[in-house]
Amino acid sequence: MDACLEKCACRGSYLDKFLQPAILVVLQRGSSHGFQMISDLEKSGMVSGNGLDPAGLYRTLKRMETAGLVTSYWDTESASKPRRVYSITDEGRHCLSAWEKTLLEYRSNIDAILRGILSAGEL
């Protein structure tokens, strides 16, 4: 019997913690509204193909704005209905730089775990 839950991270479901740096990468390229960000994130391969939950994205953007990593404004002229447009701040750029170091360390740790799994043989 398989003890892992269907939405377990071990099944490849997207890890929420990585959403913040992925958003910062997209906004580093230019301002964007939420649904465009979802499209950009999915096309980039930074999120799994299972689809990104829009409510989760907006919750994350709200936390990031509160933390000063992004800023937003309502665009009432470019579309048929108003959209909130997000931009990265200087603090967000600093945070993205810190993420680079952290993710390189994670990658090293992940490589070590994979080597351990592979050297252990079949489980």
Side-chain angles (χ1 to χ4, degrees), residues 39-107:
S39 177
D40 291 345
L41 287 165
E42 289 175 347
K43 286 178 189 174
S44 72
M46 287 188 276
V47 299
S48 67
N50 299 336
L52 185 59
D53 173 36
L57 174 78
Y58 285 109
R59 277 191 305 273
T60 301
L61 285 165
K62 177 82 170 154
R63 282 192 304 269
M64 292 172 69
E65 188 165 19
T66 299
L69 305 176
V70 300
T71 185
S72 70
Y73 68 92
W74 282 102
D75 179 1
T76 58
E77 298 182 16
S78 297
S80 59
K81 62 184 205 176
R83 295 181 179 177
R84 187 171 287 277
V85 177
Y86 296 87
S87 301
I88 191 170
T89 64
D90 288 340
E91 184 65 26
R93 285 184 188 85
H94 177 73
C95 183
L96 185 57
S97 178
W99 266 109
E100 179 182 11
K101 180 180 182 236
T102 299
L103 291 172
L104 287 168
E105 290 173 5
Y106 282 174
R107 182 179 4 178

Side-chain angles (χ1 to χ4, degrees), residues 1 15 55 112 118 122:
M1 178 180 248
L15 300 173
L118 294 172
E122 288 207 22

Side-chain angles (χ1 to χ4, degrees), residues 8-29:
C8 178
C10 71
R11 299 249 185 233
S13 68
Y14 188 68
L15 300 173
D16 291 342
K17 301 281 189 266
F18 293 128
L19 187 53
Q20 180 177 307
I23 289 170
L24 292 172
V25 167
V26 168
L27 293 178
Q28 181 77 359
R29 298 175 185 152

